[in-house]
Amino acid sequence: TGVHLILPLSARGDTLGVLHVLVDPAAATAAAEQTFLVQVASLLGAELHRRRSEREHDRLEMQFLQAQKMEAVGRLAGGVAHDFNNILTAITNYADLGLLKLPAEHPLRRNFVEIIAASDRAALLTQQLLAFSRRQVLAPRVIDVNTVIAELGKTLRRLLGADIELSISTDRDLARIVADPSLI
């Protein structure tokens, strides 16, 4: 039989746990014993706080290192995507030129059309990589593609200059889609 003492393990105003001690009844009333147990509880609280702080520091350091890695991957992806986009532009342009030079019935036309379609799909992937590298938050919503393209046409006309004519053809019956308009 003994006396149960419950002492808080505290540090910096936070209670981190409790120390439950079973002591001899004679020791429980001794001031020196109580002071010693309070000091032990204080030291244990301080050690618990230090260890928790170290774990939190380690966790934050790992998060920081991971963020640095992701930033480096993003920069690399952006650089690769930009260079790849330049190559795709050349491929698409040469395929377009080849297509223009072939008569409508020529058997190679289908190959050039497939090259252009594959380049378009690759360009879409490249845009997604560029969006990732800029850490762009995608905001998909229901949009009218015709409206987005009409707005894009206004911007393109300003960029292309007066010596280039841009013709846009849209379909009134085109269904609305869910997409991020900035990626169209």
Side-chain angles (χ1 to χ4, degrees), residues 1-150:
T1 66
V3 175
H4 293 275
L5 294 177
I6 298 176
L7 302 166
L9 302 178
S10 301
R12 297 187 182 190
D14 290 333
T15 300
L16 307 169
V18 292
L19 176 62
H20 186 183
V21 183
L22 181 62
V23 294
D24 184 279
T29 59
E33 291 293 324
Q34 286 182 1
T35 302
F36 173 74
L37 290 173
V38 167
Q39 288 175 340
V40 167
S42 177
L43 289 171
L44 287 173
E47 182 61 17
L48 278 172
H49 184 269
R50 186 189 66 76
R51 288 184 181 196
R52 285 184 181 175
S53 294
E54 280 180 4
R55 282 195 304 268
E56 178 65 10
H57 178 268
D58 290 345
R59 186 185 68 76
L60 290 173
E61 189 173 344
M62 290 301 294
Q63 279 183 337
F64 178 69
L65 291 173
Q66 185 64 25
Q68 283 183 319
K69 287 178 190 176
M70 290 303 293
E71 185 178 337
V73 167
R75 281 196 310 267
L76 177 63
V80 169
H82 184 73
D83 291 346
F84 189 66
N85 204 34
N86 290 340
I87 294 167
L88 282 174
T89 300
I91 292 170
T92 302
N93 288 342
Y94 279 113
D96 281 337
L97 288 173
L99 198 57
L100 287 173
K101 294 187 183 239
L102 291 175
E105 66 283 346
H106 198 283
L108 289 179
R109 283 187 70 80
R110 197 171 118 247
N111 293 348
F112 281 97
V113 168
E114 287 300 318
I115 291 169
I116 294 168
S119 292
D120 289 344
R121 288 190 302 274
L124 181 59
L125 289 173
T126 303
Q127 289 304 315
Q128 290 171 341
L129 273 175
L130 286 169
F132 168 76
S133 71
R134 291 188 299 263
R135 287 185 270 181
Q136 176 179 334
V137 176
L138 301 181
R141 61 181 189 265
V142 176
I143 60 170
D144 178 357
V145 177
N146 289 328
T147 303
V148 174
I149 291 175

